[in-house]
Amino acid sequence: MELKPVIWTAEVVYLGFGTPMLEGGLVVVGQHVVASGPLAELQARYPQAPVVPKGRALTPPVVNAHTHLDLSTIPPYPPNPEGYTSFIQHVIEHQAWRTPQAVAQGLEELRRLGVGGFGDIAYRPEGVEWLLEHGTFDAPWQGAVVYLEVIQRDPTQAEAVTRRLAQQLAAWRRKNERVRVGLSPHTPFNVSPELLKKLVEVARLEGFPLQMHVAESPEETEIMTQGTGRLQEIPRRYGFPPYQNLPGTTPVRYLAELGVLGPHLTLVHGVEVDEEEVVMLAQSGTRVVSCPRSNQALGCRPFPWALYLKHRLEVALGTDSRASSPDLDVRNEALFLWERVDPRVLVRAATRNGYRVLGLPTPRITRGTPVAQVQSW
Ligand SMILES: [Zn+2]
């Protein structure tokens, strides 16, 4: 039986390179793509082929550039006007839930979604080890980065902690060639400046990627600039030493002054920024990931897309964890913004920009690509 060509179309068709097409299409014969281009052109070339609408977008497999798989089983944070600080408390109170079993459940969800890759922050070394052992992929172009979370505010520990982490990463780095390892200094206020500088040195020298939550909430800006605000309740409540010797400047300016910005760093959130800070991020080559639904759930402001686009900083998308997002499907992050941000920007954010965060080339849809490697959303 002869296979007949069919034209797939969607609001946006992105091939993994070039400009995403509005009114574009793919010609599919059997299980393979045989042509792509503007819909009108394809219809002229294949006049007998039926046109099949495939929804909002046709793209290479998407990438979830920021999540915490070990939070996959904790009860979701109820949307709460008290916002970010209460969310941190919710996570602290469920630390015992951050197990390899939770990582397994999160990984299963990502597999079901058919992601091309993911960036994951593991709270415990066991979480990293579990992913190194079980993080396998079907296609050769897929991959992941797992970052071990670092929280340490005591500056006298900086030297010892850096030495220990550098050894740990060196031991892990060759265990799974599809899962790279890196570090995640939690936030600018949860790691001492001494430690942060040393970690960046190691990252640059050894080529380890860093991922850090920065400029997420107004509470973070308040504690960084004035040393006050609701975040100070956390050390009081859990008996940690109080936040002190804070820098008196905004999170991004602080990181710029410390020399932490650069292509080795992926900054997650980047909501509380002014234009000068976006320029600092753009010029330093720092990568940025936005998690829109999590920002909304935590009562944070919306991400300033126009400001980043103005300075040509192309942003990736992440879901953050299941504690602040209803699922790990990064397509739902893009669809959440579909009416507010140019969809061509969003499809690149969900694909190419995510692969860049992971240090992977973006798979391309060309003549001969199996349709299994095309996601319709
Ligand atoms: Zn996060």
Side-chain angles (χ1 to χ4, degrees):
M1 190 188 78
E2 196 197 341
L3 292 168
K4 295 242 168 40
V6 174
I7 301 175
W8 287 6
T9 186
E11 278 179 42
V12 192
V13 177
Y14 180 48
L15 304 175
F17 60 99
T19 306
M21 292 179 277
L22 300 172
E23 298 181 33
L26 304 174
V27 179
V28 173
V29 175
Q31 293 305 308
H32 291 88
V33 174
V34 300
S36 61
L39 185 58
E41 226 170 79
L42 297 178
Q43 284 180 292
R45 280 167 61 197
Y46 296 84
Q48 311 297 334
V51 175
V52 181
K54 286 289 198 175
R56 294 290 176 85
L58 285 165
T59 65
V62 296
V63 166
N64 187 345
H66 174 70
T67 186
H68 306 252
L69 296 179
D70 62 13
L71 288 172
S72 293
T73 57
I74 89 166
Y77 178 63
N80 187 328
E82 292 189 73
Y84 178 77
T85 303
S86 304
F87 174 75
I88 297 288
Q89 290 174 3
H90 179 73
V91 172
I92 290 173
E93 284 160 16
H94 291 86
Q95 265 166 13
W97 297 49
R98 309 184 79 168
T99 59
Q101 289 72 32
V103 178
Q105 188 166 316
L107 183 65
E108 187 47 44
E109 181 177 353
L110 288 174
R111 284 201 172 120
R112 217 168 40 241
L113 295 167
V115 295
F118 60 90
D120 179 50
I121 294 180
Y123 178 62
R124 295 195 172 88
E126 294 89 312
V128 178
E129 281 159 5
W130 193 91
L131 270 182
L132 289 174
E133 198 175 324
H134 301 273
T136 54
F137 298 93
D138 298 329
W141 41 266
Q142 289 176 305
V145 182
V146 56
Y147 309 85
L148 178 64
E149 188 159 276
V150 184
I151 297 179
Q152 179 52 264
R153 291 189 280 127
D154 179 355
T156 67
Q157 296 296 311
E159 184 85 47
V161 169
T162 306
R163 207 173 321 116
R164 179 171 55 76
L165 289 171
Q167 280 171 1
Q168 179 85 86
L169 289 187
W172 280 337
R173 83 184 307 174
R174 270 175 263 284
K175 289 212 163 159
N176 183 334
E177 56 183 37
R178 309 295 291 281
V179 181
R180 285 174 77 203
V181 286
L183 294 171
S184 177
H186 178 253
T187 48
F189 55 89
N190 261 334
V191 178
S192 70
E194 290 81 359
L195 178 57
L196 206 43
K197 281 200 282 195
K198 284 184 190 301
L199 295 181
V200 170
E201 239 169 74
V202 172
R204 286 206 180 110
L205 216 62
E206 305 287 339
F208 292 120
L210 300 176
Q211 193 167 105
M212 187 173 191
H213 301 95
V214 181
E216 181 173 3
S217 68
E219 287 113 300
E220 177 187 342
T221 305
E222 182 176 356
I223 203 158
M224 292 294 286
T225 55
Q226 297 163 60
T228 56
R230 282 207 59 206
L231 273 168
Q232 287 289 14
E233 288 171 21
I234 298 222
R236 276 201 295 275
R237 188 171 177 138
Y238 300 103
F240 307 146
Y243 290 114
Q244 53 195 6
N245 303 322
L246 288 144
T249 185
T250 57
V252 172
R253 281 191 182 78
Y254 167 68
L255 297 182
E257 282 163 20
L258 277 186
V260 170
L261 301 183
H264 50 276
L265 176 69
T266 297
L267 184 150
V268 182
H269 299 306
V271 170
E272 297 292 324
V273 290
D274 60 29
E275 185 158 5
E276 197 178 83
E277 291 172 301
V278 171
V279 171
M280 290 173 186
L281 296 173
Q283 292 186 347
S284 62
T286 305
R287 296 151 210 256
V288 176
V289 179
S290 175
C291 307
R293 291 182 299 169
S294 172
N295 289 158
Q296 190 190 50
L298 272 50
C300 299
R301 289 196 300 162
F303 183 81
W305 285 89
L307 207 48
Y308 281 92
L309 286 171
K310 180 178 171 190
H311 295 285
R312 298 202 162 76
L313 200 165
E314 292 221 34
V315 174
L317 286 171
T319 58
D320 224 317
S321 74
R322 285 294 295 259
S324 61
S325 175
D327 55 57
L328 299 180
D329 194 345
V330 86
R331 291 172 293 191
N332 289 333
E333 302 293 337
L335 294 173
F336 175 73
L337 298 170
W338 205 253
E339 311 301 330
R340 283 170 273 175
V341 177
D342 185 336
R344 291 171 296 182
V345 168
L346 295 171
V347 298
R348 272 215 296 241
T351 56
R352 189 191 64 171
N353 302 345
Y355 286 101
R356 285 184 177 173
V357 164
L358 305 181
L360 295 171
T362 307
R364 295 177 163 209
I365 300 173
T366 56
R367 186 180 166 83
T369 299
V371 289
Q373 283 175 36
V374 179
Q375 282 193 336
S376 66
W377 338 344

